[in-house]
Amino acid sequence: MLIGTFCTLLTAAGLGVAFLVAKRRRYATALRVAAFSLLPLGLAMTGVVRFVLNMTFNPVAWAGLGVIGLALLIFFVAGFADRRGGGGAGQAAAEPAGQAPALPAKRGRAAAAAAPADDFSDIEAILKKHGI
């Protein structure tokens, strides 16, 4: 009952402001203010406001949001670890014992631009420059 009364008063105040704005011949702005001022009453009539208030003060709902957040965090960490190639023990056990893990083949311009891993000539030049 209190929620409906509060939302009705909020809507009435917003419509009063919209009327004052319309008197200044700013009709588009007045329509926007009127539309926004009708939202609290509509939300109260549909029960959304009561649902949000009940959820806000319910500790079980907050614990549920925490569990959802934890699940999302674990999901993103798993995706990040998978992209970094940290497959773990399952990846090492799947490969034969005497072979090194095969690297995926690079394609396109990235392969042409990437230098081989054993080409240290630029690093050697920097070290020689500094007398190391």
Side-chain angles (χ1 to χ4, degrees):
M1 182 81 172
L2 185 63
I3 294 171
T5 305
F6 179 74
C7 289
T8 303
L9 289 174
L10 192 61
T11 297
L15 289 175
V17 170
F19 177 73
L20 293 175
V21 171
K23 282 180 72 172
R24 294 184 179 188
R25 298 188 185 266
R26 294 186 172 175
Y27 299 115
T29 305
L31 286 175
R32 282 190 204 100
V33 171
F36 279 118
S37 66
L38 288 173
L39 286 177
L41 184 62
L43 291 173
M45 292 172 76
T46 58
V48 173
V49 175
R50 182 170 289 137
F51 173 74
V52 170
L53 285 175
N54 287 339
M55 187 182 77
T56 303
F57 297 113
N58 188 356
V60 175
W62 285 105
L65 286 175
V67 170
I68 290 171
L70 179 65
L72 288 173
L73 179 69
I74 291 171
F75 180 75
F76 287 126
V77 166
F80 179 72
D82 192 30
R83 267 186 265 125
R84 299 254 341 218
Q91 183 181 10
E95 296 175 9
Q99 297 178 351
L103 296 175
K106 294 183 181 178
R107 297 180 183 140
R109 292 184 181 215
D118 59 341
D119 184 23
F120 295 112
S121 60
D122 55 342
I123 297 174
E124 290 175 3
I126 293 172
L127 291 175
K128 286 180 184 177
K129 180 180 173 183
H130 291 286
I132 297 176

